[in-house]
Amino acid sequence: IKTQTQVAYQYARRGAILVLVARREEKLKAVAERARKLGAKHTHYFMGDVAKEADCKRFIDETIHRYGRCKLTTTTTAIKLI
């Protein structure tokens, strides 16, 4: 299991509200479902690319709209420069 998935599961075990972002919907659904089973208070996900500024703005704005704030963001995404 990837590091970012493990981080999500650790927050879920603490009862966090999780907003997940990734490019593949199948993966997001699976992680969100498991996080709920582990104790996440609520999960929501967006398909997006955290390497793209517009995608980041969209999911942060929607998170604030939905939950009233965005308390913490974390990523373990690697960006490769060519």
Side-chain angles (χ1 to χ4, degrees):
I1 297 176
K2 290 186 174 185
T3 302
Q4 59 268 39
T5 303
Q6 288 297 331
V7 169
Y9 292 160
Q10 288 299 320
Y11 280 111
R13 287 182 183 98
R14 291 170 173 80
I17 295 172
L18 299 177
V19 178
L20 308 168
V21 181
R23 293 175 292 185
R24 290 175 295 216
E25 188 171 20
E26 316 82 49
K27 177 70 172 173
L28 284 166
K29 283 182 181 180
V31 172
E33 183 177 324
R34 175 122 171 91
R36 281 191 295 275
K37 289 177 181 177
L38 290 170
K41 190 181 291 185
H42 182 75
T43 60
H44 186 77
Y45 66 83
F46 294 95
M47 288 180 55
D49 186 342
V50 297
K52 295 180 179 177
E53 184 177 348
D55 284 2
C56 292
K57 181 171 178 14
R58 178 177 56 88
F59 73 76
I60 290 172
D61 287 348
E62 179 61 27
T63 298
I64 292 169
H65 176 75
R66 184 177 293 258
Y67 298 107
R69 65 184 175 161
C70 182
K71 190 172 180 179
L72 171 75
T73 60
T74 183
T75 182
T76 57
T77 301
I79 300 172
K80 182 170 90 172
L81 300 176
I82 300 176

